[in-house]
Amino acid sequence: MCGIVGYVGSSDACSFLIDGLRRLEYRGYDSSGVAIQAEDRFDVTRSVGRIDSLAGQLEKTPARGCLGIGHTSWATHGPATEANAHPHFGGDGEIVLVHNGVIENFQVLKSELIKKGYRFHSDTDSEVVAHLIAESLKHTPEVADQPNLRFLNAVQAAVRQLRGTYRSEEHTSEL
Ligand code: GLU
């Protein structure tokens, strides 16, 4: 039972995410990670073991930005390694994803995505979802005057192809 935390606002995302992940430690985990949006890319930092180890890495190599996601994971596919820790990239790095649960049909989806040229860097089922959203975006048209709707439609189209679990309870806090 791992944890997900997200932040968008005007403050430093990294400290919010680390604090949020510490609060989720009671749920148990074997690795953790954060992705923070920099100007034209996502900075992803992942670590095996305690949140302190992730926080230590971020002290050495800070990731600055006001939008980010964080994750504590119990690896269900492959060993607990940095490569299997979340977040995972999708496409050419335009997508970053964290996921709680298990994608039952990931092997079929993975084979199809590999045939289309997607390259995988982990043993996880979750990485499939990141690439699937990237692929779905290619086939999802813009919606006039609503740029965010294209992304939402692409995510929904990708999710429709998934079998398994990918939900968690939700908490929102305002700063
Ligand atoms: N199935 C995913 C993985 O192995 C997510 C596990 C979890 O819920 O932490 O990476």
Side-chain angles (χ1 to χ4, degrees), residues 1-4 28-31 71-79 83-86 88 98-103 122-127 165:
M1 197 170 64
C2 48
I4 288 176
Y29 63 102
D30 55 33
S31 59
H71 191 261
T72 50
S73 176
W74 270 122
T76 60
H77 292 65
N84 287 337
H86 298 212
H88 294 292
V98 294
H99 162 238
N100 283 0
V102 170
I103 304 303
S122 79
D123 306 313
T124 68
D125 49 339
S126 308
E127 191 180 6
T165 52

Side-chain angles (χ1 to χ4, degrees), residues 43 45 47 53 59 63 66 92 98 102 118 163 166:
D43 286 333
T45 309
S47 182
S53 157
E59 265 169 38
C66 299
D92 293 320
V98 294
V102 170
Y118 289 87
R163 300 285 170 272
Y166 40 85

Side-chain angles (χ1 to χ4, degrees), residues 108-154:
V108 175
L109 295 169
K110 186 169 179 173
S111 303
E112 286 168 5
L113 287 161
I114 288 171
K115 275 189 214 146
K116 288 180 179 152
Y118 289 87
R119 291 202 342 225
F120 284 78
H121 304 281
S122 79
D123 306 313
T124 68
D125 49 339
S126 308
E127 191 180 6
V128 162
V129 185
H131 285 315
L132 200 61
I133 292 170
E135 174 64 13
S136 178
L137 261 176
K138 288 186 188 166
H139 306 285
T140 307
E142 296 280 0
V143 181
D145 302 326
Q146 297 192 69
N148 293 334
L149 208 49
R150 175 170 175 245
F151 183 71
L152 178 65
N153 289 341

Side-chain angles (χ1 to χ4, degrees), residues 5-23 32-38 42-46 51-71 87 175:
V5 57
Y7 177 79
V8 57
S10 53
S11 306
D12 173 45
C14 190
S15 52
F16 184 96
L17 296 176
I18 293 294
D19 180 52
L21 292 178
R22 286 194 202 282
R23 292 188 201 196
S32 61
V34 297
I36 293 174
Q37 190 178 35
F42 295 105
D43 286 333
V44 171
T45 309
R46 293 179 285 228
I51 303 289
D52 286 347
S53 157
L54 178 69
Q57 260 179 259
L58 285 160
E59 265 169 38
K60 277 190 222 139
T61 314
R64 301 198 197 289
C66 299
L67 187 156
I69 50 178
H71 191 261
L175 291 180

